[in-house]
Amino acid sequence: MRFLAVPIWLFLVMAPLAAQQAPPSAAASSATPQELGTPPVASAPAPSATPATGTVLALPESPKELAEAQRQFNAGKKLKAAGKLDQALPKFERAAELNPHSVEYLTAREFTRQQLVMQALDRGNKAMLEHGEIAAMAEFRRALEYDPTNDFALQRLRDSLPSEAPLSPGVRIVERSTPIELQPDSAKRDFHLRGDARTMLTQVAQAYGITAQFDESLPQRRVRFDVQDVNFATAMLLAGQVTKTFWIPLSGKQIFIAADTVENRRTFERMSLRTFYLSEVTEQQLTEISNSLRVLLNVRFIAVDKAESTITVRAEETLLEAASRVIESIGGGPSEVLLDMRIYEVSSSLLRQLGTTWPQQFTMFNISPQLLAGLGAGTSNLINQLIASGGINQANSTAISALLAQLANQSNSLLQQPFATFGGGLTMFGLTTGGQGITVTLNLNESDVRDLEHVTLKASNNNAAVLKIGERYPIVNATFAPIYNTASIAQVIGNQSYKAPFPSFNFEDLGVNMKATPVIHSDKEVTLKLELAIRSLGTQTVNGIPIINNREYSGSISLKNGESGAVAGLISLADSRSIDGYPFLARVPVTSYVFSEHEKNMQEDELLIVITPHVTRIPEQNSFAMQLPNGS
């Protein structure tokens, strides 16, 4: 508030004094466009009818102008009372323009202007506190439109402007040169000039408080320049197009103007320097980025430091801005994705044995006198006694069992095993099962194994992520042994100090082997190129080398960010059933388990791999357009 109160106080004190000390014509002639609040008019060559020097006298206001000024002032007061200050200010400005001698009109205009400035500054400060830099920038610009001489509004506008466009996380500017900042007047001017190019350019620059110096090679030509309400940048741009020239700053208030040619731009344009540090690129990518800058922007001075991972560019400021955008879009680091992988494995087995096992092989032999004679003298006497007494016959099996107990010590006789006899006449036969009896089996063996493996992999765009779960099995390729049995070899073999050479072997990866290559799109959709191999150790061998069971899958899937997808599923089911028993009787439903043994063996394996991609970083692809200097 302090910087606003001082100008108003001075204006209120000095205005009556000026009106008393000077006549109305002098007061009007001394008022400048800035004091009256109207856009200043650039100095232009005076018409030939007007003398170069002299006093300009202001004409008194007509009654019509005074009446219109009063009407505008009254309308402004009504709008101000209604709270419409932005609409009241033009009314007061028009009233003060029609009657510049009225202190009431001038005071109302300045008070209204400063109130609008304060309101815009308050809104801008609140927006800055709420981190709304864009809204604050608009409010500070509006304050400067109301009062271009307000230094506080200009400083707040500079505070709201970003010092530099933010670069990608992987790109950082580590060194830069400071360009010369020209400081022209911010007012807008009107130009209606005719004459040679140097005079016209000098007058345009002087209208904004800038001194122009020219190159000696600038040709003389007649030009015409008519433009209204333009600032310094627009005026010099249009003047350069008319005169085919360009300018460069020499200091805050001086510029140098030369003909717009390729040679002059290379000679006079000031070069700036920036060094970019790229943290996530390889040496090959550094080379590719530097080549891209040379081809796209025609930048000639580029230095690449592969050890420090930096690129130094020296060019015009506009080219450096374009180079920054190109490096940001190319060298900002690749996109990254987090692959959340879950591997579910379920294994179950069932073994069931139910039934009765009966003897299935029988041996029949003849019990002849020669066989009995071979049993030994004591045994023959025992059998003769049993025959004489009538103890051995078809109806007496107890006597035969007692005989077998007597013959149990014989090691090479069929009679060692249980047998049955039949005949009893001239011949007698024995029937044995070979020691196999009746067996009842009730067996159940069941197992269930569930396994979950949770793996998180981080991969960059177009770079493969490899996952291996399992074991490494060694397979011998070759062994070494001495061929010639020399005396020295025999000696080391004899004293057991010989050490055979280490065999040659390689490791085979068993288990789950997966290779996933992500391709990350701009809409955060991920395409995965998958290569899956499931290997296990087989039960058979070839020449002592085990057979490896191998199952492979290769393909690609597309998933959205955070979307889960089953990329592989494998189910292995083995079911075997067997029946062991007597023919025909084993098939009878009722007596099947009495005369046979049933065996059921089932193996089931399930494997499921689920992948969920989470995009953690993706470079911003912001398009930009920049006007490069001629000849670039």
Side-chain angles (χ1 to χ4, degrees):
M1 294 297 297
R2 185 176 182 182
F3 71 95
L4 294 175
V6 173
I8 297 174
W9 178 79
L10 289 176
F11 176 80
L12 295 177
V13 173
M14 297 300 295
L17 296 178
Q20 295 176 3
Q21 296 176 1
S25 59
S29 62
S30 62
T32 60
Q34 288 82 359
E35 295 172 348
L36 296 177
T38 58
V41 180
S43 58
S48 57
T50 303
T53 59
T55 302
V56 180
L57 300 177
L59 298 177
E61 293 77 12
S62 63
K64 184 179 180 180
E65 292 177 345
L66 295 176
E68 178 65 19
Q70 184 65 36
R71 189 180 66 83
Q72 293 290 337
F73 178 73
N74 295 333
K77 289 196 301 182
K78 293 180 180 181
L79 292 173
K80 184 176 181 180
K84 301 178 181 179
L85 298 180
D86 54 342
Q87 300 179 14
L89 180 61
K91 301 296 183 180
F92 293 145
E93 289 179 344
R94 180 58 179 168
E97 182 181 356
L98 294 174
N99 187 6
H101 304 117
S102 175
V103 177
E104 184 180 10
Y105 296 169
L106 296 177
T107 304
R109 181 192 67 184
E110 292 303 324
F111 268 110
T112 305
R113 187 195 310 276
Q114 298 305 325
Q115 288 179 0
L116 288 173
V117 170
M118 288 303 301
Q119 291 179 0
L121 289 175
D122 290 341
R123 292 192 298 267
N125 292 330
K126 292 180 180 179
M128 288 289 289
L129 293 176
E130 297 174 357
H131 303 284
E133 286 77 8
I134 297 179
M137 190 187 310
E139 295 296 338
F140 295 145
R141 288 185 183 275
R142 185 176 291 107
L144 282 176
E145 291 177 359
Y146 293 138
D147 186 8
T149 62
N150 195 319
D151 295 335
F152 181 73
L154 180 61
Q155 181 61 39
R156 295 299 291 160
L157 177 61
R158 292 175 180 175
D159 295 339
S160 64
L161 292 174
S163 59
E164 178 178 307
L167 300 179
S168 299
V171 181
R172 187 171 72 252
I173 298 177
V174 297
E175 185 179 356
R176 65 182 303 168
S177 59
T178 303
I180 299 175
E181 294 184 2
L182 195 66
Q183 299 177 358
D185 295 342
S186 59
K188 295 183 178 181
R189 311 287 188 184
D190 297 342
F191 298 98
H192 304 283
L193 304 176
R194 293 177 179 82
D196 63 282
R198 291 196 178 189
T199 303
M200 186 268 289
L201 292 172
T202 301
Q203 293 180 0
V204 172
Q206 288 179 351
Y208 300 95
I210 302 299
T211 303
Q213 298 182 8
F214 297 91
D215 181 33
E216 297 178 356
S217 61
L218 182 66
Q220 296 288 341
R221 64 180 65 180
R222 302 286 296 180
V223 295
R224 178 178 177 179
F225 189 62
D226 294 315
V227 66
Q228 295 180 353
D229 196 23
V230 292
N231 56 12
F232 174 78
T234 305
M236 292 303 299
L237 175 64
L238 297 176
Q241 294 176 355
V242 171
T243 59
K244 300 185 182 303
T245 58
F246 74 99
W247 61 272
I248 59 173
L250 298 179
S251 64
K253 293 295 183 179
Q254 291 182 342
I255 61 174
F256 182 81
I257 302 177
D260 191 0
T261 62
V262 177
E263 292 77 9
N264 285 343
R265 284 190 174 273
R266 292 179 178 178
T267 303
F268 297 112
E269 277 194 336
R270 292 187 176 275
M271 298 289 184
S272 299
L273 182 140
R274 292 186 189 179
T275 300
F276 302 90
Y277 170 69
L278 295 86
S279 60
E280 301 180 3
V281 297
T282 61
E283 295 182 358
Q284 181 180 359
Q285 291 174 339
L286 282 175
T287 304
E288 293 176 354
I289 293 175
S290 62
N291 294 335
S292 300
L293 294 177
R294 290 189 176 95
V295 174
L296 295 176
L297 304 178
N298 194 21
V299 179
R300 294 174 296 168
F301 305 101
I302 300 178
V304 178
D305 190 347
K306 297 181 179 180
E308 298 293 335
S309 189
T310 59
I311 296 179
T312 302
V313 182
R314 187 167 68 92
E316 297 85 353
E317 189 67 25
T318 53
L319 285 179
L320 280 181
E321 291 295 334
S324 299
R325 301 294 182 87
V326 172
I327 292 177
E328 179 184 3
S329 60
I330 298 178
S335 303
E336 292 183 352
V337 62
L338 195 67
L339 300 178
D340 190 1
M341 308 179 65
R342 285 179 169 85
I343 301 176
Y344 303 91
E345 185 176 2
V346 179
S347 300
S348 60
S349 63
L350 175 64
L351 176 61
R352 186 179 63 191
Q353 294 175 334
L354 296 176
T356 306
T357 303
W358 290 80
Q360 298 178 359
Q361 294 181 356
F362 300 91
T363 303
M364 187 177 65
F365 57 93
N366 182 21
I367 304 177
S368 60
Q370 291 80 7
L371 177 63
L372 297 176
L375 296 176
T379 305
S380 300
N381 294 331
L382 178 60
I383 294 176
N384 291 332
Q385 293 176 5
L386 292 174
I387 294 174
S389 62
I392 298 179
N393 50 44
Q394 295 181 355
N396 194 346
S397 61
T398 304
I400 297 176
S401 299
L403 176 62
L404 294 177
Q406 292 290 333
L407 299 176
N409 294 327
Q410 302 292 331
S411 60
N412 55 356
S413 174
L414 291 174
L415 299 179
Q416 291 181 356
Q417 301 174 358
F419 67 94
T421 61
F422 62 93
L426 297 177
T427 62
M428 185 170 57
F429 293 93
L431 184 65
T432 180
T433 60
Q436 182 180 2
I438 301 174
T439 306
V440 178
T441 304
L442 298 174
N443 184 22
L444 177 63
N445 186 2
E446 184 178 4
S447 65
D448 191 2
V449 179
R450 301 177 182 270
D451 189 11
L452 168 63
E453 296 187 8
H454 186 191
V455 182
T456 303
L457 302 178
K458 189 174 184 180
S460 59
N461 191 28
N462 283 327
N463 290 328
V466 180
L467 172 65
K468 294 184 179 181
I469 301 176
E471 59 183 4
R472 304 196 71 190
Y473 185 79
I475 298 178
V476 178
N477 297 327
T479 58
F480 304 94
I483 298 178
Y484 301 102
N485 190 8
T486 61
S488 59
I489 294 178
Q491 181 180 359
V492 296
I493 292 177
N495 58 18
Q496 297 181 355
S497 62
Y498 174 74
K499 295 182 180 179
F502 199 78
S504 174
F505 64 93
N506 62 340
F507 285 96
E508 189 72 22
D509 293 328
L510 302 181
V512 179
N513 300 325
M514 175 179 287
K515 180 180 179 181
T517 304
V519 178
I520 305 173
H521 306 285
S522 57
D523 57 350
K524 292 189 177 182
E525 184 174 346
V526 181
T527 299
L528 293 175
K529 299 178 182 178
L530 298 176
E531 297 179 8
L532 176 65
I534 302 175
R535 298 181 180 180
S536 60
L537 191 63
T539 58
Q540 300 179 357
T541 60
V542 177
N543 296 329
I545 301 176
I547 296 177
I548 305 297
N549 299 326
N550 186 28
R551 299 173 184 176
E552 293 187 359
Y553 164 78
S554 178
S556 62
I557 61 172
S558 295
L559 298 173
K560 296 181 180 179
N561 185 27
E563 179 184 10
S564 300
V567 300
L570 178 63
I571 299 178
S572 177
L573 179 62
D575 190 0
S576 63
R577 300 171 185 266
S578 63
I579 300 177
D580 187 9
Y582 294 126
F584 307 110
L585 295 177
R587 296 291 184 178
V588 178
V590 178
T591 62
S592 176
Y593 289 95
V594 177
F595 294 98
S596 63
E597 179 183 353
H598 294 254
E599 181 179 346
K600 179 180 180 181
N601 190 359
M602 185 173 63
Q603 298 282 340
E604 183 178 0
D605 296 327
E606 296 182 8
L607 179 66
L608 180 64
I609 300 178
V610 180
I611 295 182
T612 305
H614 300 279
V615 178
T616 58
R617 187 181 70 179
I618 182 169
E620 296 183 1
Q621 302 294 333
N622 296 326
S623 59
F624 64 94
M626 301 189 69
Q627 182 177 0
L628 301 180
N630 297 334
S632 299

